């Protein structure tokens, strides 16, 4: 019998993870009004993406920009925007 590894069992598309997180968030709002959800989500997701990718490339901004599909100057701007810029 072939038992899947921990990583294989937990693997799921990013969209499914985001959907689940948003559903939980809205459920937790318990009927309270929700405003500006798009910007709230972006302000949480974008720094997470930047952190993960910067760790993945060991801080190499050129490589990170390539992985993200953005210019190095845009990456630097976003790192600064979220207080993630390294010296």
């Amino acid at each position: 019998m072939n038992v899947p590894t921990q990583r294989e069992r937990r693997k799921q598309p990013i969209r499914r993870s985001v959907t689940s997180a948003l559903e939980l968030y809205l459920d937790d709002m318990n009927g309270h009004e929700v405003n500006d959800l798009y910007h709230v989500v972006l302000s949480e997701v974008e720094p997470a993406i930047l952190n993960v990718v910067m760790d993945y490339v060991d801080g190499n901004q050129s490589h990170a920009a390539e992985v993200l599909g953005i210019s190095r100057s845009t990456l630097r701007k976003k790192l600064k925007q979220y207080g993630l810029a390294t010296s």
Side-chain angles (χ1 to χ4, degrees):
M1 181 178 195
N2 209 358
V3 178
T5 65
Q6 177 82 8
R7 184 183 268 302
E8 288 170 339
R9 282 185 278 140
R10 290 185 17 207
K11 189 189 328 183
Q12 58 177 306
I14 293 172
R15 182 178 292 188
R16 189 177 312 156
S17 296
V18 171
T19 299
S20 177
L22 284 170
E23 288 170 346
L24 287 171
Y25 175 81
L26 292 172
D27 283 347
D28 287 348
M29 292 304 291
N30 200 23
H32 288 58
E33 190 171 330
V34 177
N35 293 310
D36 208 19
L37 183 60
Y38 180 80
H39 291 104
V40 170
V41 170
L42 282 184
S43 70
E44 293 293 324
V45 171
E46 197 167 39
I49 293 169
L50 296 170
N51 271 327
V52 168
V53 171
M54 289 302 291
D55 285 347
Y56 178 73
V57 299
D58 294 323
N60 182 317
Q61 290 185 3
S62 295
H63 192 189
E66 184 178 320
V67 168
L68 291 164
I70 60 177
S71 71
R72 206 171 79 217
S73 62
T74 298
L75 173 63
R76 284 194 302 268
K77 181 180 86 173
K78 289 183 177 295
L79 291 172
K80 185 176 180 181
Q81 174 185 347
Y82 293 109
L84 305 172
T86 58
S87 40

